[in-house]
Structure formats: structure tokens, C-alpha cells
Amino acid sequence: MWILGLKKEFGEARRWVSKKLQFQKDVDVNLFESTIRLLGGLLSAYHLSGDALFLQKAEDLGNRLLPAFRTPSKVPYSDVNLGTGVARPPRWTSDSTVAEVTSIQLEFRELSRLTGATKFREAVEEVTKHVHSLSGKKDGLVPMFINVHSGLFTHRGVFTLGARADSYYEYLLKQWIQGGKTDQRLLDDYLEAVDGIRKHLLRRSEPSKLTFVGELAHGRFSAKMDHLVCFLPGTLALGAHHGLPAEHMQLARALMETCYQMNRQMETGLSPEIVHFNLQPQKSQKDVLVKPADRHNLLRPETVESLFYLYRFTGDRKYQDWGWAILQNFNTYTRVPSGGYSSISNVQDPHDPQPRDKMESFFLGETLKYLYLLFSDDPALLSLDAYVFNTEAHPLPIWGPA
């Protein structure tokens, strides 16, 4: 556990969890965010410390999240009240997000394994089986929304690897790895999806021929790519490391270059939330274009997350160098003199990046953790043959032989 030797700080955090962390509260929480951040964090803390307190808290939370699955289709509601157990969809729709209902499986499955209570695993695997069997996919690509009453995809014909769909693909691969590579259905769905990405969403920009992943809406291609999609190089590299086709690693390297350029081509050296790629061959044009509404940076982890995976698997120090450049730019443009870091509104203005006075928890939980691991030269430090990271960067053990 004592990777950094921060025993005193860990002791403080443990005391807080013991005395102050109470889930018996009349408050609505998002099932997905609470699972990946809180449940994932508690399970990870248990594994790294061996302290049963964290598992007790995790089981309490898991029980309070379970009522979200009480829907006609067994596809969970997006929100649940931790105190009352009343679950509901978002205020604006009766749909849940596909990424959210398919990116809670690592955590609930692990909770069942540790506690012996099968109800957690059964709830999430019911969702996995259901989504596996649904129509409305396009060569393994899934729509962004699913109705909790009918259990069917809605807003069909729109396909993205960005917000609302991203971690569906990540968790197909990671569940397969977590379970010791035994579930062929998960692997088949993942491989089909990668082929679908290649077939429908992959293009190259002008003038630098950067490989990127766009979006498809009712047959029309858009050269739009969320920064969130930069999880994909790391996921592809992880799959290749675990025996999947070598061309997955080639694609990972090409997309990693693109994600770095999304940072490097900005005046602050930090990526905006969304970019559009230029497809017209004109020498004067940049590859990466940004709309005014998209030029904020929320201190997201995806680029440095993938840099960590690429460095671990290739040993190529350029990935460390790229991560170091991004860290320097975070320090220059987002660090707050009184402490902490802030999201910024304009990555294209180095003189006034417009800090927002808000630091997302994933900056500490993911961005800085992946940077720390990227700069470590010890492959045994949270070995990727022993652990699989959930989508909030919390390491969970691989069950079977990897």
C-alpha cells in the first residue's frame, strides 16, 4: 500500500472514513458516479490497505445503490436516494445513459466476490446480458441512450465514443480481463466494436494526417472528437497487451499522437473539451479546430491515462515527455497560488485562460495518479498483469490468471 509512504495522511483519511463517512442520508446521487468514484475508491482502498473498514463501507453503499435496478427492464435508473431507496430517472427524460448502465460492472462484481453476496453481481450482469442481446447496434457500436421501462435503445442511429457511450467499450475489455479472460461474450462484443470503430468512425485529418475518431449521426459523419475519447489509445493498448491483435496497438499509437496534438496545438498546450478536425487539404489550416463553446479544459485525465498505458507497454520515453509537458502546462495555466488547480474556460488564451474556480475530484483521483504512474519506471507498481483500473482510476485485482 505504501507506494508514496504517506502513512500519516492515510491515517487521517481512514479516521475520516471511520468517523464521518455516513451514507444514511436523504440525498439523491447518480448511480454511475457514486459507483465509479465512491464504491470503486472504497474497494481499491480495501485491497491496497487490507483494512476491513473500507469493505464494510463499500458493502453499505452497494446495498443503498441496489434499488436503482428495480425497473421493469432491470436496466437501472440514473439516480437513487441513499436514505430512502427511491430511484428515478433524470428530470428531463425516462432514459438512462448507455455508458452509465454498462460501466458499473467491475465494481459490483468485485463487491460480490469479496462479500459472497451474489445480488450485486447478478444486478449488473443482467444489464450486460440485456445490452448484449439488443438490436440497434451498428457493427458493435451502441447508441447513447436506453429506456429503463422498455429496455430498448433510444435516439438510435447516433454513434460516438465520447460522452454517454465511451466507457461501455472500456468496460467490455476490462470485465473480460478482470474475470480472467473467460467470458467470450464480452471479448466478442469488444472486438466487434473495435472493428466498427475502424469501419465507421476512423478518419485522418489534414494537413498532418492525424488519425482520429469522429461521430456518426444517421449516416452522416462528423469530424468531432471529445477529449473523453482519448481513453481509447490506452484501452486498445491494454487489449493488445492481453493478447488481442497487434493492429490494436498500432491504432493505439496513432490515436495517442492525435490526443497529444489536441493538447500541443493549443496556445496553452492543454486540450479543449471538444475538437473538430480539418478534412480539407489546405496547407494554411491547422488539423485541430476549436469552437468558442468548446475551448474549456476541466483538468480531465484521458490523455495522460493513455500515456501511462502506452509507456508501460512500449517503454518509449516520448510518452513520459509528452506527459511531462502536459503537467508543466497544468502548472503554468491552471495552478492556483493559494493551493489546488482550477478548470479554465479558454485553452487558446495563455494570457487569460479564465480560471473557473472549480477543481473536479477526478483531477486528484485520476489525472495526477496517472501522471505519477507514468513517471514511475517500476512496472510492478500496480502491475497491469495484477490489476485492472476502473474508469475512475481505482485499481481492482484481476481474479484469474492474466
Side-chain angles (χ1 to χ4, degrees), residues 296-316:
H296 48 290
N297 180 291
L298 304 181
L299 311 174
R300 287 199 187 276
E302 288 78 17
T303 295
V304 297
E305 170 186 355
S306 284
L307 287 171
F308 157 64
Y309 283 105
L310 267 288
Y311 179 64
R312 270 283 171 100
F313 297 140
T314 69
D316 189 335

Side-chain angles (χ1 to χ4, degrees), residues 34-325:
S34 301
T35 299
I36 65 170
R37 299 182 193 220
L38 305 179
L39 185 57
L42 289 166
L43 291 170
S44 198
Y46 167 69
H47 279 296
L48 295 174
S49 68
D51 191 326
L53 167 71
F54 298 107
L55 181 55
Q56 291 160 10
K57 293 289 185 181
E59 186 171 16
D60 179 32
L61 177 60
N63 279 315
R64 295 176 186 280
L65 294 175
L66 270 184
F69 293 87
R70 291 184 199 140
T71 70
S73 67
K74 308 275 184 68
V75 172
Y77 286 117
S78 66
D79 296 89
V80 61
N81 188 295
L82 291 179
T84 66
V86 174
R88 61 169 180 81
R91 309 222 179 269
W92 48 277
T93 179
S94 59
D95 294 343
S96 286
T97 296
V98 170
E100 292 193 358
V101 304
T102 56
S103 305
I104 49 183
Q105 280 72 4
L106 290 177
E107 299 82 0
F108 274 80
R109 285 163 31 129
E110 179 62 7
L111 185 58
S112 277
R113 190 179 76 92
L114 292 172
T115 62
T118 59
K119 59 188 175 181
F120 304 113
R121 180 174 185 156
E122 288 165 355
V124 293
E125 292 200 336
E126 188 81 29
V127 180
T128 304
K129 274 186 275 191
H130 178 76
V131 172
H132 170 76
S133 66
L134 277 182
S135 62
K137 299 176 190 166
K138 189 178 184 73
D139 294 322
L141 304 177
V142 293
M144 293 188 286
F145 296 100
I146 188 167
N147 187 278
V148 298
H149 301 297
S150 70
L152 300 175
F153 289 131
T154 61
H155 305 275
R156 286 157 67 135
V158 179
F159 302 99
T160 175
L161 261 82
R164 307 190 191 284
D166 48 359
S167 47
Y168 161 76
Y169 305 99
E170 176 190 353
Y171 267 41
L172 288 175
L173 176 70
K174 289 183 173 179
Q175 285 179 84
W176 177 69
I177 294 169
Q178 178 192 45
K181 306 180 189 171
T182 56
D183 191 331
Q184 190 64 34
R185 187 191 54 200
L186 291 166
L187 177 59
D188 290 345
D189 283 356
Y190 176 73
L191 291 172
E192 185 185 8
V194 174
D195 287 343
I197 293 164
R198 285 183 177 283
K199 187 172 175 183
H200 300 292
L201 303 182
L202 220 55
R203 296 285 193 282
R204 299 181 81 193
S205 68
E206 295 292 344
S208 303
K209 307 277 192 244
L210 298 174
T211 300
F212 71 94
V213 178
E215 299 183 352
L216 202 62
H218 310 293
R220 288 178 63 91
F221 180 80
S222 165
K224 167 181 177 281
M225 181 168 157
D226 294 359
H227 180 267
L228 287 168
V229 182
C230 288
F231 84 91
L232 186 58
T235 297
L236 288 166
L238 180 64
H241 174 72
H242 281 281
L244 300 191
E247 59 258 29
H248 287 206
M249 181 57 94
Q250 293 164 2
L251 181 55
R253 284 176 175 270
L255 290 171
M256 191 73 263
E257 169 77 33
T258 302
C259 289
Y260 177 55
Q261 290 299 330
M262 285 166 62
N263 288 269
R264 200 176 81 83
Q265 293 192 19
M266 297 302 118
E267 287 76 359
T268 57
L270 296 172
S271 173
E273 181 75 353
I274 299 168
V275 303
H276 290 75
F277 285 91
N278 176 47
L279 296 175
Q280 308 308 318
Q282 295 167 312
K283 280 276 192 298
S284 58
Q285 276 279 26
K286 276 186 172 181
D287 292 80
V288 184
L289 312 170
V290 190
K291 296 184 176 180
D294 302 333
R295 59 191 183 192
H296 48 290
N297 180 291
L298 304 181
L299 311 174
R300 287 199 187 276
E302 288 78 17
T303 295
V304 297
E305 170 186 355
S306 284
L307 287 171
F308 157 64
Y309 283 105
L310 267 288
Y311 179 64
R312 270 283 171 100
F313 297 140
T314 69
D316 189 335
R317 290 201 178 271
K318 77 176 180 185
Y319 298 123
Q320 285 186 318
D321 294 340
W322 292 357
W324 183 252

